[in-house]
Amino acid sequence: MERSASARFESVLAPSERAAAVTALDSAGAKVTSWGVAGASRTYARLRLTATTDVERVRAAIDARIDEPALTVLQVAPRESERLPALLEALAGAGRPAGIVEAGICDGGLCVELDERATPLRFLVDIIDVELAPAPGRRIVALLPLDDASLTAFASATLAAPEIDGSRLVERYVEPLLRGGA
């Protein structure tokens, strides 16, 4: 069984720091599958763990917060920047959804860390759109790639098609072909 985790570093890592983190994580049984940067303040990494990887060993290997399973990390930029305070209050204030681990201002938008076990991505996008209704328009960028389960759940909820499951994700079948695999 393969597992996933995410790592959050409290700075933007230089290439040499990323290389050192990859080495340390490899020795702890975690493989970096992607990197993401939130403005000028943070670096995120998505990690692949094996069934036997000890998460405490991974946490001890690097100076970063480790979340298992991996968090969904998004950068949300409203078209009208004056909507940022209301959006921040909705996503980080007292009544925020349970799955919001953290939300804060970064580079003209918000950086949102979401635990989809508590709040589905579709629900988060709905909240964002409700808060931005007085001045619609936004850009949402995933700082770490979404996994198949997230994509499937989002597509199923968005299209109101509960029959959508992982077997219907075209990317799962196309990506190996693009890489030259069978």
Side-chain angles (χ1 to χ4, degrees), residues 44-59:
Y44 292 91
R46 186 170 181 90
L47 311 175
R48 185 175 56 239
L49 312 175
T50 67
T52 59
T53 301
D54 179 3
V55 176
E56 291 309 315
R57 189 169 166 223
V58 173
R59 286 187 176 107

Side-chain angles (χ1 to χ4, degrees), residues 76-93:
V76 181
R79 185 174 49 94
E80 302 291 333
S81 60
E82 51 275 352
R83 297 301 306 157
L84 269 174
L87 188 57
L88 180 61
E89 179 61 28
L91 300 181

Side-chain angles (χ1 to χ4, degrees), residues 8-10 38 41-42 44 65 67 71-76 87-93 96-106 109-116 119 124 128 143:
R8 181 181 89 182
F9 299 85
E10 294 301 327
S41 60
R42 289 189 180 146
Y44 292 91
R65 189 187 78 205
D67 292 286
L71 296 178
T72 298
V73 184
L74 307 169
Q75 189 166 17
V76 181
L87 188 57
L88 180 61
E89 179 61 28
L91 300 181
R96 74 177 180 265
I100 302 287
V101 174
E102 190 171 313
I105 303 285
C106 69
L110 295 180
C111 183
V112 181
E113 299 173 3
L114 177 68
D115 183 341
E116 289 192 63
T119 301
L124 173 67
I128 291 166
L143 296 178

Side-chain angles (χ1 to χ4, degrees), residues 19 39 43 47 55 58 83 101 125 132 141 147 155-156 165 181:
T43 301
L47 311 175
V55 176
V58 173
R83 297 301 306 157
V101 174
V125 172
L132 298 179
V141 176
D147 63 18
S156 176
D165 63 19

Side-chain angles (χ1 to χ4, degrees), residues 134-151:
R138 43 77 177 155
R139 182 174 45 92
I140 301 175
V141 176
L143 296 178
L144 293 176
L146 300 176
D147 63 18
D148 288 352
S150 293
L151 288 171

